[in-house]
Amino acid sequence: MAHWLEGARRVRSPNCDERPPGCDVELLIVHGISLPPGEFGGPHVEQLFQNCLDCSTDPRLSDLAGLAVSSHLLVDRRGKITQFVPFDLRAWHAGVSSHRGRCGCNDFAIGIELEGTDASPYETVQYETLADITVALMQRYPRIPLANVVGHSDVAPGRKTDPGHAFHWPMFLRLIGDRWRK
């Protein structure tokens, strides 16, 4: 695996930098995203992560103008994976955040975006793909225990709500368990 997920499509994002010295990957943050809100399958998320999103094309994108964000991975509605940032670098996905009293989650986290919304059910194939990725990352980075697989809303409560109430945590955790037993 090294710092790139085997089989993932690679599209480099400039929205990343070095992790702080001695900072190990210890956290996996699950996000939900759709651009424009509630629409799936378009080029907008990739464009956002590459700083080439034309926010004037849709008024629902206007608040994203000038925003520099990224994630390590995106899992689309078909379960296809795109990697934007290698795992050894810090992707800019969590913003102002904390986990168990430790601030600045981007320093020690891997961010995975699922194409979806807080209120729309995610696809079964997305859960299956996310579980495969999670197990691979937990094996590669043994400092990520299952308790450190969280939603964006867990590290930025009151500011973020994703992956939302439509994300089926019990199913996702069961899939992870099934993969560990294999």
Side-chain angles (χ1 to χ4, degrees), residues 50-128:
Q50 292 186 297
N51 298 337
C52 61
L53 177 63
D54 182 354
C55 296
S56 68
T57 61
D58 189 308
R60 297 172 295 168
L61 301 175
S62 63
D63 62 335
L64 301 175
L67 193 62
V69 296
S70 62
S71 72
H72 290 91
L73 303 172
L74 169 69
V75 179
D76 73 13
R77 302 293 287 182
R78 299 166 294 138
K80 301 298 181 199
I81 307 164
T82 303
Q83 185 163 1
F84 294 94
V85 176
F87 300 124
D88 62 323
L89 296 180
R90 174 174 50 193
W92 303 344
H93 58 94
V96 176
S97 55
S98 68
H99 182 255
R100 297 185 178 170
R102 188 173 173 195
C103 295
C105 292
N106 287 343
D107 292 350
F108 55 97
I110 290 174
I112 302 177
E113 296 277 0
L114 297 179
E115 187 178 35
T117 69
D118 288 6
S120 301
Y122 291 88
E123 301 293 335
T124 300
V125 69
Q126 289 180 288
Y127 289 106
E128 293 168 348

Side-chain angles (χ1 to χ4, degrees), residues 7-54:
R9 184 172 150 258
R10 295 180 188 178
V11 177
R12 291 295 298 250
S13 172
N15 302 327
C16 62
D17 56 7
E18 296 291 326
R19 293 185 188 276
C23 197
D24 294 326
V25 174
E26 301 176 30
L27 183 66
L28 191 152
I29 302 173
V30 178
H31 301 262
I33 191 169
S34 64
L35 293 177
E39 294 183 20
F40 307 129
H44 298 102
V45 174
E46 189 170 309
Q47 291 171 353
L48 174 67
F49 291 168
Q50 292 186 297
N51 298 337
C52 61
L53 177 63
D54 182 354

